[in-house]
Amino acid sequence: MDIPINTEGGSRVILELIYSLKVRDVMTRKLVTASADTGMREVQQLMRDNGITGIPIVERTRLLGIVSIGDLLKALDQGQMAEPAASHMSASVVTLEEEMPLTFAISYLNRYEFRRFPVLDKTGSLAGIITASDIIKTLLVEMNREVERLEATIAHPQTIDPAASPGLDPGSAGTPEEIVLSLSFPTRQYDFDGAGKASAEFKKALKQLGIEASIVRRAAIASYELELNQVIHSTGGVMEYILRGGRITIVARDQGPGIADVQAALTEGFSTANNWIRSLGFGAGLGLPNAKRSGDDFSIDSAPGRGTTVCVTLNYAAGP
Amino acid sequence: MNISDFQTRFGFEAMYDGYVDAEVLGGYTSDLLSDVMSKAGEASTLVTIQAHKNTVAVATLVGINSIIICNSRPVSAEMIESAKAEGIALFRTDKTQFEVSGLLYCALRDAKA
């Protein structure tokens, strides 16, 4: 069964939902498992008693494989119900990690023929299992909640707080130097499909303005590192770019969760990224140091619960 | 050395045809994208196993003109589309990063000599 949700385009509200929900928010933690030497007849009984269609085979908390209804039918057909689960389970299992956003589970269901995915925790131990019906149930509950919230907003419209809305700092308006460029792009946690778009647009704009290639390159690096930090670590943020008076200013502002130890975060090699983010080639602990090195000026303001604002500026020779 | 040499001299598989052929001035080998950003040069080639869209984004930003995916890693259609759109040549080989780096290093050194 496919889950007909567009994980790339689609409604912003739905996208925010499926990116903010994690696999661990949706998975079933109550696991029915069997060991490798459990007989297939016993496995069948477990499935029937618990009303489930797949049983993970484990050695303590380590996942060895999974026995599905299909595996069971084959064993039945061949009269091998007395044999152990180990010789009938599917050993190459596609797994998810509990920190992954729900979008991963949805695209896995649509991509693979499997109907359930065991979920592993940070240490690689089996933490739960996720099925299409888990996803649909949670999504319906969350969508209902969101629709109620939206209906309430329509009934009682709130005034927009200008300080909270992204864009130019109103205090800086009216200065004599003309703004050459002002761009702003939202980012979303774990949106690796969209990651880099802000920096690509920014780089393109700098190039079009005829700014020196080596400065464009440094600005693009700083921008990309900060953008990726928002995608990897924040709950979403905004990338803002302002060119004025021979200065390029990159402001990366996010809503949280904030950095506990800023000094450590600026140390090369320090990283809080989890394993699947590292497997994509990110989270090496080079991001902030790279951004800092690429700029002429660097400032960071962050505290847990408040979010993070990083500001990088680069000087450039304004046109003749 | 030109990008097309990857195909003709080393037998790497082009992930799409009709890429822009250009001179390759250097190379960098890494699977850490931040490391690539800070170290890879302009008009260089990237030797990696990171076969996804974000690698193309990094390449675009730092001026890498070609990517070589090693160990016959599966390359997603999205990555190919994105490389095509950004004008970055994309190849795949069953060789390791070590072997590819060695081949390219020698070819680039000979080209300069």
Side-chain angles (χ1 to χ4, degrees):
Chain A
M1 169 177 44
D2 278 7
I3 296 189
I5 281 184
N6 182 350
T7 54
E8 289 188 37
S11 136
R12 198 178 55 81
V13 172
I14 301 294
L15 278 178
E16 270 169 20
L17 255 184
I18 57 178
Y19 274 102
S20 61
L21 282 170
K22 303 239 170 90
V23 166
R24 78 170 124 76
D25 303 325
V26 179
M27 69 182 188
T28 307
R29 281 166 203 277
K30 228 185 95 204
L31 283 169
V32 180
T33 60
S35 62
D37 54 7
T38 311
M40 287 300 277
R41 191 154 286 127
E42 212 178 313
V43 171
Q44 181 196 12
Q45 215 140 35
L46 277 172
M47 283 193 193
R48 201 177 44 211
D49 294 349
N50 293 285
I52 50 180
T53 56
I55 299 227
I57 305 301
V58 295
E59 187 187 300
R60 258 174 272 157
T61 61
R62 198 165 65 89
L63 180 70
L64 304 174
I66 210 164
V67 172
S68 67
I69 290 272
D71 299 321
L72 201 68
L73 285 176
K74 220 188 275 166
L76 251 177
D77 190 39
Q78 294 168 355
Q80 296 165 328
M81 291 298 281
E83 292 187 4
S87 45
H88 288 277
M89 67 184 186
S90 319
S92 64
V93 184
V94 179
T95 59
L96 287 159
E97 288 185 34
E98 59 175 0
E99 288 300 313
M100 286 175 169
L102 189 57
T103 48
F104 277 64
I106 294 171
S107 56
Y108 273 40
L109 273 169
N110 296 345
R111 193 178 333 149
Y112 299 102
E113 81 245 50
F114 307 118
R115 301 281 52 97
R116 69 192 68 74
F117 295 95
V119 180
L120 306 182
D121 68 12
K122 256 185 211 155
T123 65
S125 294
L126 183 64
I129 197 158
I130 194 168
T131 64
S133 81
D134 293 330
I135 297 175
I136 292 165
K137 251 184 269 168
T138 312
L139 275 182
L140 278 176
V141 170
E142 293 295 329
M143 281 179 194
N144 264 323
R145 188 175 304 162
E146 198 52 35
V147 167
E148 277 170 17
R149 198 186 61 77
L150 286 174
E151 280 177 349
T153 327
I154 295 165
H156 309 281
Q158 289 167 336
T159 50
I160 294 159
D161 176 9
S165 69
L168 276 176
D169 174 11
S172 62
T175 46
E177 275 149 351
E178 197 194 337
I179 294 173
V180 185
L181 176 77
S182 166
L183 297 169
S184 168
F185 303 90
T187 64
R188 219 172 24 227
Q189 184 170 35
Y190 296 149
D191 177 14
F192 286 101
D193 285 320
K197 270 184 199 148
S199 303
E201 289 298 319
F202 169 54
K203 184 188 178 184
K204 216 184 294 165
L206 292 184
K207 259 179 132 170
Q208 269 167 10
L209 290 168
I211 288 165
E212 195 193 318
S214 67
I215 293 171
V216 173
R217 181 186 160 91
R218 280 165 50 216
I221 291 175
S223 165
Y224 187 77
E225 293 291 8
L226 297 180
E227 185 181 356
L228 261 292
N229 270 353
Q230 289 190 341
V231 171
I232 293 167
H233 298 289
S234 82
T235 53
V238 181
M239 294 296 301
E240 291 168 292
Y241 307 96
I242 301 150
L243 261 73
R244 177 167 44 189
R247 270 171 95 73
I248 303 167
T249 307
I250 305 168
V251 182
R253 207 191 306 266
D254 68 54
Q255 299 131 18
I259 302 171
D261 187 342
V262 174
Q263 221 36 53
L266 287 168
T267 311
E268 213 156 277
F270 176 88
S271 173
T272 57
N274 59 31
N275 284 338
W276 66 266
I277 284 173
R278 286 170 200 250
S279 73
L280 291 171
F282 300 113
L286 297 170
L288 280 176
N290 261 358
K292 190 175 176 183
R293 199 177 316 116
S294 305
D296 292 318
D297 264 310
F298 176 92
S299 69
I300 180 164
D301 176 38
S302 183
R306 208 180 60 214
T308 302
T309 302
V310 185
C311 185
V312 172
T313 58
L314 298 100
N315 302 318
Y316 71 97
Chain B
M1 184 171 63
N2 286 330
I3 293 175
S4 54
D5 287 331
F6 297 159
Q7 223 174 336
T8 53
R9 268 175 78 181
F10 305 125
F12 302 162
E13 172 194 1
M15 299 311 291
Y16 69 91
D17 289 325
Y19 55 84
V20 183
D21 197 12
E23 194 180 359
V24 178
L25 298 178
Y28 196 68
T29 304
S30 181
D31 300 320
L32 297 177
L33 296 179
S34 279
D35 178 45
V36 173
M37 293 221 84
S38 65
K39 294 281 165 57
E42 289 273 347
S44 65
T45 190
L46 173 64
V47 181
T48 188
I49 55 168
Q50 291 294 358
H52 52 78
K53 231 168 107 173
N54 302 111
T55 314
V56 177
V58 165
T60 310
L61 290 174
V62 296
I64 288 166
N65 63 20
S66 47
I67 300 172
I68 302 164
I69 302 294
C70 300
N71 296 340
S72 301
R73 284 266 186 152
V75 176
S76 68
E78 281 175 341
M79 185 187 193
I80 298 171
E81 279 316 305
S82 145
K84 222 189 259 181
E86 296 294 341
I88 289 169
L90 183 61
F91 299 88
R92 182 169 59 182
T93 169
D94 57 359
K95 293 188 166 59
T96 67
Q97 293 102 303
F98 179 74
E99 290 168 317
V100 172
S101 303
L103 284 173
L104 298 189
Y105 183 85
C106 294
L108 281 165
R109 187 193 51 194
D110 295 348
K112 274 171 197 157

